[in-house]
Amino acid sequence: MVQAAVVLLFGGRSSEHSISSATAGGVLRAIDRERYRVIPVGITREGAYVLEDDDPDKFALNADRLPEVVDNGTRIVWPESTVERELSVRRPDGTVESLGDIDVVFPILHGRFGEDGTVQGFLELLDLPYVGAGLLMSAIGMDKHTTKSILQAAGVPVVPWVTVTRAVLERDGDLWRRRIRGLGLPVFVKPARAGSSVGVSKVSDWDELDAALETAFAEDSSVLVEQAVTGREIECGVLQGRDGGDPRVSVAGEIVVSGRDFYDFEAKYLGAPGIDLVCPAELHDGELREMQRIAARAFEAVGGQGLSRVDFFYTGTEFFVNEVNTMPGFTPISMFPTCWIESGLSYPELITELIELAR
């Protein structure tokens, strides 16, 4: 079998750099080495593209030392035009070495400057096939306000929200604070374009609102305030249909919050206590079918390409879509691969499916 060359692109400039690096460790460990030749390309926090080590252990998720891409002096030289696909590396001594032709790029980048359409646009300029959502779907999925607006227009149930910027708060703070208070307590305050629960706060008293807004504004210039929904947190994975077919939706997983305010960064990635991940979630057949129907509709509403993890609040009578994540994590405790494993698709098979969809 001729191996296809897969560029695994990870790290990046966003606040989710370490999670992207940890995801790379998971993919490096699981990818089918007989089928694929892997070229690990890391992006440093400053935006340099470097040739990284093909070593899953180097990028293991560790609470004491989060993995990262460190500048090792190498520089990746991308193809010069769309008529070629040769990737090269310039070593610290200035010598240039060919890494061969690229078949597909797997950009496992989370957050801004990677999951938001920027890297997708770069790869499209080079006419390189890549895993996941296209430019527009990536940009939509990264912006929570835009996602919710599109889902609402498509008839997908979403949680009520108010979006604010510093400028509108400075111009007419009383009006916007009245609108926010109209949501009732508690509320969640989130950066519009960040993930992994970075910059997210739960507000149970209005005296906490200004501090929560400042925490979110540190990550983004646009901030969402969302009404809290009392219900179960349910998630599922979605894959693009084969040959123009319908999207495929996994079984459901559930996040059971017991000893924390919400599913925060430490619980998602560092195994902090107070959270249990249950997969498959306990839903009867009718509930599961309804969740899968809404997940597929949400996926198609924002573009229907590649993959996504669709997150819900389930009140017992209605599923509200909380988020459509176009490049979910692949860390060992991530829900997206877990849901697909429970649906009969192993981790290596899932990675193969994503690469083949891209090709």
Side-chain angles (χ1 to χ4, degrees), residues 235 253-255 277-279 309 329 333-340:
E235 299 183 350
E254 182 171 5
I255 301 154
L277 303 183
V278 179
C279 189
R309 191 195 68 234
I333 59 173
S334 293
M335 190 66 90
F336 181 81
T338 301
C339 285
W340 280 112

Side-chain angles (χ1 to χ4, degrees), residues 347-359:
Y347 194 3
E349 288 170 340
L350 176 60
I351 293 167
T352 296
E353 178 68 14
L354 290 169
I355 293 170
E356 294 308 310
L357 279 172
R359 295 181 70 194

